Amino acid sequence: MADDIATPEPAAEPTPSPEPRPDPQPPILRIENVVKTFGSFRAVDGVSLDIRAGEFFALLGPSGCGKTTLLRMLAGFETPDEGRILLSGEDIAQVLPHERPVNMMFQNYALFPHLNVRDNIAFGLRRAGMPRAEITTRVAEMVALVRLEGLEKRKPDQLSGGQKQRVALARSLARRPQVLLLDEPMAALDKKLRESTQFELMELQRRLGMTFIIVTHDQEEAMTVASRIGVMKAGKLEQVAVPRRLYEEPASRWVAQFVGDINLFEGEVTAREPHRLRVSTASAGELVAAQPVAPIDESKVAVAIRPEKIRLALRRPAGDAAAINCVEGIISDTSYLGGKTVYKIRLDGGAAIHAAQANTARLDADGYGLNQRVVAWFTPDDCVVLER
Amino acid sequence: MSARRIFSRPARFAAIAPYVWMVLFFLVPFAFVAKISLSQTAIAQPPYTPVFSLAGGWSSLSDAFAALSPDNFRLLLSDDLYLSSYLRSVVVALTSTAILLLIGYPIAYGMARLPRRWQGIAMMLVIIPFWTSFLIRIYAWVNILQHDGLLNQILLALHLVSTPVVWLSTDSAMYVGIVYSYLPFMILPLFATLTKLEPALEEAAADLGASPREIFWLVTFPLSLPGVGAGSLLCFIPIVGEFVIPDLLAGSKSLMIGQTLWLEFFTNKDWPVASSIAVVLLVVLLLPLLLYDRLQRRQLEESR
Ligand SMILES: Nc1ncnc2c1ncn2[C@@H]1O[C@H](COP(=O)(O)OP(=O)(O)O)[C@@H](O)[C@H]1O
Ligand SMILES: [Mg+2]
């Protein structure tokens, strides 16, 4: 697991440095070796993670991998069987949910059906014993923040899905928690609404400067909103990294395949040159990949290449030094997706790969036809060598 | 088109079935009772006049109509016996319903929080007493509460009392019997609403800083009010008309309206007065029902 504790890199930086930089401030939330078992089933299996103040962190993983369980331990609804959770340096194991400076936005919102929008938002403020006048101001502020003006008197079942989601958000933000936990906050929204909500959420988080931890099974959502992503698999953290690094330098075959589409060529390292690694693969012959930052110990590896980094041509690009990795095959399927077209190519070696070509010209979007013979090539720098 | 014809017939029948039921088994018998309540007692078979008979033709029918009078209702108002019986019935029913709620709510709440596989067993335990005849169970209480009954034996053996306590023929005994008999009717509707309650709501309340007590009073209880209403009505209405339990367990100093009705009907053979008691009782019971209905409708409208 690449435990990346570097600050979020600016997008322009080419390759993130391998050594973690010294932390400017202690993390607001430290999760140390946390384990949660249900019976003999380890739902969360030794997770360690540092969350910095003011960051937007995403826990990404397939359904059932333990994301909600981890989040519920942070909120105090479950107690870890092992490990510690430190909030601002203090162990919160014994702190009950209603005493934690952490608020949660629930997966199905869990709005109080008998209270109207305003009373739902004011619920947490009243429990905190805030004076009446201040509650009124704060509720109005929250209502404006999530743009629910005019709906204050409505009951939850008089609201649309998107409006309910906003009420839930306003309610969990009203107490100004140190950390806001969001459990699949957009799962119930349709795609268009989800996308606009994602941007609103980011904007909100930046404006409030709060720490957000979002749980999602949607990698696009995680990449859109989060400054850092922790990928979970079967109760364990597979990789923690900034979105770009997660995509371009996945730590394992599993992460590579979970985050976006990728082509994997299984093979064996045959030669280690100063900057290059030669890998002999069964399906694509010998491939040359750039030496990864962390040295490769295994000899059995996978060379991974993202579909959009594969270039297609009708014949072998002559004299192009970059075109070292060259495979041939027949287009067996095409999917036109608007912005890009994805080709499924049956290689002569038998394997199938995906190659995506951006449709940059309107009149020339047809590209290659079915059953056409093509050459697919990619540079060593675009390949990732995976050990795990 | 044809599909609609096939499906619409049973559907239409299903829609009118409750009304047919209501007319056949409620309105028609009630019309008989209402008619008798407007008659006068007579030493005859049947023991009242007038009797509607089609044999005498139109004139005898209109004579019979003319002979109907609301005298019995005037009697109910003028005699303290009836008013105090009604009052006692309502007081007993209200008190019992309150006790039932106080006992039934925690039980239903506990049941709703059991693991799912235990809930079925708990429900069985609540229902099992129904497998024995109601009358036998009340007689069992007579046995337990009588002078040398089980309760007094235990109390004496534990030296908690030195002489047997009079339990039987007291209001306490009656309340014990009523609460015991009606508890399932309180528990089951409460249990039904409490199990439907989303656990995330209570967690959300805790997350927003509510203490366990606040969670109960601000979230759980308000959301269980439909169950509270249903359970209370299900108990209150039959308890008002209860006859067997007060007759067997309570003293005979003051009567509930069911007992008074029984006396009028069987001892005094005064069917008309008994019928008018029943008519008034129905009107009295209709009030809480209408109130409940209005409350529910308002809630529905509010949430629309
Ligand atoms: N209270 C519980 N009792 C037993 N198993 C549970 C409980 N809560 C969650 N699990 C199990 O733990 C695993 C992880 O659940 P969860 O954290 O909800 O996953 P995710 O949110 O990633 O979809 C699942 O296999 C689920 O069945
Ligand atoms: Mg979940």
Side-chain angles (χ1 to χ4, degrees):
Chain A
M1 182 182 69
D3 199 354
D4 174 41
I5 6 177
T7 44
E9 288 99 317
E13 198 180 297
T15 342
S17 64
E19 306 93 37
R21 277 168 244 162
D23 227 348
Q25 65 199 73
I28 188 163
L29 196 63
R30 164 159 282 177
I31 301 165
E32 277 181 9
N33 240 326
V34 162
V35 173
K36 178 74 197 178
T37 54
F38 294 113
S40 61
F41 174 70
R42 291 167 89 86
V44 172
D45 193 3
V47 167
S48 296
L49 182 65
D50 279 357
I51 310 274
R52 282 183 307 268
E55 95 172 307
F56 201 144
F57 190 90
L59 274 171
L60 172 67
S63 174
C65 70
K67 308 180 295 289
T68 298
T69 308
L70 182 56
L71 211 61
R72 288 171 60 80
M73 286 193 278
L74 302 184
F77 300 128
E78 309 277 2
T79 38
D81 294 320
E82 289 170 34
R84 296 196 307 166
I85 298 171
L86 306 170
L87 185 71
S88 308
E90 279 176 54
D91 194 335
I92 52 170
Q94 299 310 316
V95 184
L96 294 171
H98 66 276
E99 288 159 346
R100 291 191 184 194
V102 167
N103 278 131
M104 176 142 158
M105 186 178 151
F106 286 78
Q107 195 156 357
N108 296 317
Y109 313 142
L111 297 178
F112 304 124
H114 59 302
L115 301 181
N116 62 22
V117 168
R118 123 173 265 297
D119 291 337
N120 260 287
I121 298 175
F123 189 93
L125 304 175
R126 299 211 171 104
R127 304 290 81 71
M130 191 186 257
R132 235 166 217 279
E134 234 176 288
I135 291 181
T136 313
T137 331
R138 180 74 67 86
V139 170
E141 192 185 311
M142 286 298 143
V143 165
L145 192 70
V146 296
R147 296 190 285 105
L148 280 169
E149 292 97 339
L151 302 178
E152 292 93 335
K153 293 262 159 61
R154 296 251 189 112
K155 292 275 181 70
D157 54 5
Q158 297 167 286
L159 299 174
S160 72
Q163 289 165 341
K164 278 186 209 166
Q165 198 253 8
R166 284 155 195 282
V167 179
L169 185 61
R171 188 180 70 174
S172 54
L173 281 173
R175 281 165 68 101
R176 306 225 169 108
Q178 289 184 28
V179 178
L180 180 67
L181 311 171
L182 305 103
D183 192 357
E184 310 246 4
M186 287 165 260
L189 305 182
D190 58 64
K191 192 164 158 43
K192 261 267 158 333
L193 191 56
R194 189 157 61 218
E195 279 163 8
S196 61
T197 311
Q198 284 165 1
F199 284 104
E200 280 169 26
L201 206 58
M202 289 164 70
E203 154 81 23
L204 206 65
Q205 190 264 346
R206 248 192 311 258
R207 191 136 45 103
L208 299 172
M210 250 178 225
T211 311
F212 278 26
I213 303 179
I214 188 175
V215 153
T216 177
H217 64 263
D218 178 348
Q219 51 111 357
E220 251 177 68
E221 181 171 294
M223 306 253 268
T224 306
V225 299
S227 50
R228 234 162 31 114
I229 299 174
V231 184
M232 277 187 83
K233 176 198 175 191
K236 289 196 166 76
L237 265 180
E238 280 275 309
Q239 186 174 9
V240 180
V242 300
R244 208 176 61 76
R245 194 158 164 193
L246 200 64
Y247 188 76
E248 306 295 359
E249 290 175 54
S252 67
R253 292 173 175 89
W254 190 85
V255 172
Q257 285 176 310
F258 184 71
V259 180
D261 194 9
I262 202 157
N263 300 296
L264 291 182
F265 301 99
E266 295 291 339
E268 221 163 309
V269 178
T270 50
R272 294 164 202 267
E273 294 163 16
H275 299 290
R276 303 241 150 136
L277 217 54
R278 287 181 185 277
V279 180
S280 150
T281 67
S283 49
E286 189 186 68
L287 296 177
V288 183
Q291 181 80 258
V293 276
I296 294 282
D297 305 323
E298 293 278 329
S299 65
K300 284 208 178 304
V301 296
V303 177
I305 178 86
R306 296 280 180 197
E308 73 279 3
K309 296 187 174 66
I310 295 181
R311 270 157 265 188
L312 296 181
L314 290 176
R315 62 198 72 70
R316 279 180 181 262
D320 193 341
I324 303 172
N325 299 313
C326 219
V327 290
E328 286 186 41
I330 289 172
I331 292 182
S332 64
D333 210 347
T334 71
S335 325
Y336 173 74
L337 300 175
K340 62 178 181 182
T341 302
V342 177
Y343 298 98
K344 194 170 170 190
I345 301 163
R346 184 150 298 286
L347 299 183
D348 295 343
I353 61 167
H354 288 170
Q357 307 294 291
N359 294 325
T360 49
R362 187 169 70 93
L363 298 177
D364 193 24
D366 276 349
Y368 301 92
L370 215 54
N371 295 325
Q372 194 164 7
R373 190 162 183 83
V374 290
V375 173
W377 60 278
F378 44 91
T379 67
D381 282 342
D382 285 334
C383 296
V384 186
V385 179
L386 300 171
E387 287 183 281
R388 281 199 290 137
Chain B
M1 202 58 216
S2 66
R4 187 192 282 174
R5 210 172 294 148
I6 291 168
F7 286 116
S8 67
R9 216 169 286 166
R12 220 175 288 153
F13 177 73
I16 61 165
Y19 297 102
V20 172
W21 178 273
M22 173 120 170
V23 168
L24 272 181
F25 297 106
F26 175 71
L27 281 183
V28 170
F30 181 70
F32 282 119
V33 172
K35 186 256 152 193
I36 298 173
S37 76
L38 297 169
S39 310
Q40 290 85 45
T41 64
I43 303 178
Q45 193 64 259
Y48 52 84
T49 60
V51 177
F52 285 174
S53 154
L54 292 176
W58 181 248
S59 64
S60 81
L61 261 185
S62 63
D63 283 352
F65 262 110
L68 294 179
S69 87
D71 282 349
N72 296 318
F73 292 96
R74 284 200 199 102
L75 176 76
L76 293 192
L77 281 177
S78 62
D79 195 331
D80 267 0
L81 169 75
Y82 305 109
L83 280 180
S84 65
S85 296
Y86 278 119
L87 200 64
R88 176 168 161 85
S89 288
V90 170
V91 168
V92 166
L94 279 177
T95 314
S96 311
T97 305
I99 299 172
L100 280 160
L101 200 56
L102 284 178
I103 298 176
Y105 200 105
I107 296 177
Y109 185 88
M111 279 169 63
R113 258 148 197 72
L114 284 176
R116 205 148 276 287
R117 65 206 147 91
W118 289 104
Q119 284 184 355
I121 296 171
M123 192 121 97
M124 279 296 289
L125 291 178
V126 170
I127 297 172
I128 271 179
F130 283 113
W131 292 3
T132 315
S133 147
F134 169 69
L135 217 51
I136 289 177
R137 284 182 285 135
I138 296 304
Y139 271 115
W141 276 109
V142 171
N143 247 298
I144 293 169
L145 297 176
Q146 67 199 7
H147 187 73
D148 54 352
L150 191 63
L151 183 59
N152 273 334
Q153 285 178 22
I154 291 173
L155 290 179
L156 287 170
L158 293 175
H159 298 289
L160 289 173
V161 294
S162 49
T163 52
V165 183
V166 179
W167 297 108
L168 207 57
S169 305
T170 64
D171 276 6
S172 316
M174 175 187 66
Y175 280 118
V176 166
I178 291 178
V179 168
Y180 162 78
S181 305
Y182 284 90
L183 200 53
F185 296 104
M186 184 57 93
I187 290 178
L188 293 179
L190 279 173
F191 173 71
T193 34
L194 284 170
T195 39
K196 268 188 290 174
L197 212 75
E198 213 187 314
L201 291 177
E202 293 179 354
E203 286 182 350
D207 188 65
L208 292 166
S211 63
R213 176 190 297 235
E214 285 173 320
I215 295 174
F216 179 78
W217 287 112
L218 297 172
V219 177
T220 316
F221 187 72
L223 289 175
S224 68
L225 281 177
V228 171
S232 300
L233 271 186
L234 225 49
C235 293
F236 178 81
I237 290 176
I239 293 173
V240 170
E242 186 55 63
F243 163 72
V244 175
I245 302 174
D247 208 51
L248 291 178
L249 296 178
S252 49
K253 276 205 304 292
S254 51
L255 301 178
M256 284 177 69
I257 197 65
Q259 295 168 280
T260 309
L261 193 152
W262 194 91
L263 276 179
E264 291 293 352
F265 197 89
F266 291 103
T267 312
N268 291 352
K269 296 264 187 292
D270 194 338
W271 288 24
V273 167
S275 300
S276 52
I277 290 175
V279 171
V280 171
L281 182 60
L282 186 83
V283 173
V284 168
L285 290 182
L286 231 45
L287 281 176
L289 266 178
L290 290 176
L291 208 72
Y292 181 72
D293 190 56
R294 253 193 48 194
L295 268 176
Q296 274 205 325
R297 205 164 298 174
R298 191 182 312 156
Q299 262 180 355
L300 255 170
E301 264 156 30
E302 250 175 41
S303 68
R304 192 158 291 148

